[in-house]
Amino acid sequence: MAQEQKDKCGDCQSFSPKPDEKFFNCTSAVHAGLKYGMQVRADSRACEAFAAK
């Protein structure tokens, strides 16, 4: 069984949406060694580049 990543985008220092924004355009995303930009929500677990606040 694979271990589930518990870090959420909303707990990442790169996650800084404006007030009233539901989504945030993250330019610090990394997955499988590739860097890219993506639109994320605070509860997303999509990124491997998580950095705690």
Side-chain angles (χ1 to χ4, degrees), residues 2 4-5 9 19 21 23 26 29-30 32 34 37 39-42 46 49-50:
E4 182 180 331
Q5 181 181 358
C9 289
E21 272 189 345
F23 296 97
C26 181
V30 174
L34 300 174
Q39 192 175 59
V40 295
R41 299 185 322 200
F50 178 87

Side-chain angles (χ1 to χ4, degrees), residues 21-42:
E21 272 189 345
K22 184 174 182 177
F23 296 97
F24 173 69
N25 290 318
C26 181
T27 58
S28 303
V30 174
H31 186 75
L34 300 174
K35 290 187 176 186
Y36 59 93
M38 68 177 180
Q39 192 175 59
V40 295
R41 299 185 322 200

